[in-house]
Amino acid sequence: MKNKITLLFAFCSLIGFSQEKDSTEVAYKKRVLESIEVDFLMSYYKQDGIHSAVSGGKGMEELTNLTPTFVVAIPLNDDDVLTVDAGISAYSSASSGNINPFDSNTPSPWQASSGASSQDVLTSLVLNYSHSSDDRNTIWNGHISGSMEYDYSSIGFGGGVSRLFNGKNSEVSVAANVYLDTWKPIYPKELQDFVDYGGMNGGIYDDFVITPGQVSSEVYNPTNFKEHDQKNRNSFALSFGFSQVVTKKIQGSFFLDVLYQNGLLSTPYQRVYFADKGDFFINEFQLADDIERLPDSRFKLPIGTRWNFYLNEKLTLRTYYRYYFDNWDITSHTLNIELPYKLTEKFTVIPMYRYYSQQKSKYFAPYEGHVSTDEYYTSDYDLSTFNAHQYGIGISYTDIFTNAKIWKFGLKNIDLRFNHYDRNDGLSANIVSFGIKFVQ
């Protein structure tokens, strides 16, 4: 990783040197970033629902997530900026806790488990380097990233270039990113013990009595289950953008992303129940027939547009629309509207609304909607057909003179937002986000 950073800096420095040599007519240029900027961001997310993927499409989806992040932008000289983005994401989840619900004497998909998988912490770090040409019409950037949690790790790298023209009223951009991820697969406890002990000869099977869901001579035998040989997930993205200042009051942009993934794209601990297999329970918890199985490749294509309208000195309209489709047959529409209203010179209130509509993947079916002869299957409702509405309000404080000080840093702005999310499949969530920026 250290070698990658060195090569990236050397490459960008070489580009900067050659551009400076070719622009000798520039007598004065404004620094891209005048001083160090520090952002502290925090979000709190809480959800619940009735279609847990870990429990095969039924069960509680209770989850909380806290995400503190620091972003530090450092001007290296007139043209170059280094940005360091470091954060953690700590979650607690009753749903993922049910990977092993058998730490309780009364396991149930509607009861929170206190197992080790019920909580985890993701740590991440991103280093981004950008270089601007002397005329400030060309911007190059490159980044490397890494993140890690208990059962998943990722490294990423990429870069892009933006070009402004037409008096800086028009901009085109292109970027490429690669993420190389690795699973440490965790499987539902009953399946893992079945493999480890060669059947019902140990583990949880010594501690509990299995009850069939109907009178039958059949015994629990999850023959479909096999551990994954593939442990990697690779993602490749190519992004294109164009933005245009249409008038003094209207600005628009368009974007297109081409994404490809390969490797282990299913989630190893999400259960599936088959319609042609008998049901077996430990207390209220049904033992899995298999885990989610999905293809080892996926192609995604989102395309969208943003339009901002300056209505008057107090009010602005921001709009966003995106259409998405992939080769798993998912299609979706996203519409977002914000109406920032300036209460005073320093305070702005921001009502917001987001609508999302999705058509399901061809691999999705609800609880016991699949049969054991299917090649691919999932009961994850994130891949189902649903509509969602999100309503929110935000308030922003801006002090362009940074009068408030903490040590050598002046307060630039504070942003606080609250959103409520409702999905017509029973999932609901509340999101609180907070951001504060300081400049040196």
Short mmCIF file of all heavy atoms in Angstrom, two decimals, residues 30-31 41 114 116 215 364 406:
data_model
loop_
_atom_site.label_atom_id
_atom_site.label_comp_id
_atom_site.label_asym_id
_atom_site.label_seq_id
_atom_site.Cartn_x
_atom_site.Cartn_y
_atom_site.Cartn_z
N LYS A 30 -4.90 31.92 -7.75
CA LYS A 30 -5.46 31.75 -6.42
C LYS A 30 -5.25 30.31 -5.98
O LYS A 30 -5.36 29.37 -6.78
CB LYS A 30 -6.95 32.08 -6.45
CG LYS A 30 -7.66 31.99 -5.11
CD LYS A 30 -9.13 32.36 -5.27
CE LYS A 30 -9.89 32.16 -3.95
NZ LYS A 30 -9.40 33.06 -2.89
N ARG A 31 -4.92 30.11 -4.72
CA ARG A 31 -4.75 28.76 -4.19
C ARG A 31 -6.07 27.99 -4.31
O ARG A 31 -7.15 28.54 -4.10
CB ARG A 31 -4.32 28.81 -2.72
CG ARG A 31 -2.89 29.30 -2.53
CD ARG A 31 -2.59 29.50 -1.05
NE ARG A 31 -2.60 28.24 -0.31
CZ ARG A 31 -1.53 27.48 -0.09
NH1 ARG A 31 -0.36 27.82 -0.60
NH2 ARG A 31 -1.62 26.37 0.62
N LEU A 41 -18.30 14.57 10.88
CA LEU A 41 -19.62 14.12 10.45
C LEU A 41 -20.08 12.99 11.36
O LEU A 41 -19.30 12.14 11.76
CB LEU A 41 -19.58 13.63 9.00
CG LEU A 41 -18.92 14.56 7.98
CD1 LEU A 41 -18.78 13.87 6.63
CD2 LEU A 41 -19.71 15.85 7.83
N SER A 114 -28.29 -12.22 21.51
CA SER A 114 -27.13 -11.52 22.09
C SER A 114 -25.82 -12.13 21.61
O SER A 114 -24.76 -11.90 22.20
CB SER A 114 -27.19 -11.57 23.61
OG SER A 114 -27.19 -12.92 24.05
N ALA A 116 -22.43 -13.07 19.21
CA ALA A 116 -21.31 -12.21 18.79
C ALA A 116 -21.63 -11.46 17.51
O ALA A 116 -21.16 -10.34 17.30
CB ALA A 116 -20.06 -13.06 18.61
N VAL A 215 -46.57 -33.65 10.77
CA VAL A 215 -46.33 -35.07 11.04
C VAL A 215 -45.63 -35.68 9.83
O VAL A 215 -46.15 -35.65 8.71
CB VAL A 215 -47.66 -35.81 11.33
CG1 VAL A 215 -47.38 -37.31 11.53
CG2 VAL A 215 -48.34 -35.22 12.54
N PHE A 364 -35.42 -13.28 -6.65
CA PHE A 364 -36.09 -13.10 -5.36
C PHE A 364 -37.41 -13.87 -5.29
O PHE A 364 -38.17 -13.91 -6.26
CB PHE A 364 -36.38 -11.62 -5.10
CG PHE A 364 -37.27 -11.40 -3.90
CD1 PHE A 364 -36.73 -11.39 -2.63
CD2 PHE A 364 -38.65 -11.26 -4.05
CE1 PHE A 364 -37.54 -11.23 -1.52
CE2 PHE A 364 -39.47 -11.10 -2.94
CZ PHE A 364 -38.91 -11.09 -1.67
N ILE A 406 -12.16 27.66 17.79
CA ILE A 406 -11.70 26.60 18.68
C ILE A 406 -10.22 26.41 18.38
O ILE A 406 -9.85 25.94 17.30
CB ILE A 406 -12.47 25.28 18.46
CG1 ILE A 406 -13.94 25.46 18.84
CG2 ILE A 406 -11.85 24.17 19.28
CD1 ILE A 406 -14.76 24.21 18.67
#
